[in-house]
Amino acid sequence: MVIIAPSLLSCDFAKMGEEVKRMEDAGADWMHIDVMDGHFVPNITIGAPVVKSLKKVMNSVADVHLMISDPLKYAEDFAAAGADYITFHVESDSDPVETINRIRELGCRPSISVKPMTPAEVIYPYLDLVDMVLVMTVEPGFGGQSFMADMMPKVKAIREECERRGLHDMIIEVDGGIDTNTVSVAAKAGANAFVSGSAVFKAPDAEEIIKELKEKATV
Ligand code: DX5
Ligand code: ZN
């Protein structure tokens, strides 16, 4: 199963609802929503009320990526807003096990993310508890950065560790600099969900690029 998740961070914020529709019509599987608090990362983006409004027009999965210092505190707001997957960072201030349990209790799918400088092993204690791992392929905070190919051994190590534990359904998502060239590199390393912001939104034909991303991600 290959998942393509356009990152709404790169959409036209003046017409977000239409952008969601445009991406869904173009074949996107999930909508990736980047939540930044100006503290965990330097940027501030969107919050739970915006997710709630978007959900009214969204037929795809809401893949909420919390780049915030206290995900445990805000998990409830995003669950109530309609998030399907809630990803938080292992580097945040919240206790990972408590946060994972809270997200599940709220009826959402928990996912844990690692920044580029964080080694894979840091999340191994939580692998049996989550439905997805998000490996950042850029420093979180901004769209439009270059893909860090040196994160591929990390993706590979996490995939192998999941297989060793019998976690064959684990989704490994990559986020940052994914385009029609880098998608195959990440897929070969073991990723099966691909966030793409600028490449998808800047493309003249969204349907064409999503199709190409899917083809190239199928290994
Ligand atoms: C970065 C965000 C990404 C970003 C991806 O902090 O988590 O989701 O929007 O954008 P591109 O594909 O442009 O790197
Ligand atoms: Zn993201």
Side-chain angles (χ1 to χ4, degrees), residues 7 9-10 32 34 36 65 67 136 138-145 175-178 195-199:
S7 166
L9 190 60
S10 296
H32 185 82
D34 286 308
M36 306 187 189
H65 178 192
M67 285 161 277
M136 290 306 301
V138 297
E139 265 316 320
F142 303 91
Q145 305 180 74
D175 183 7
I178 298 293
V195 176
S196 182
S198 36

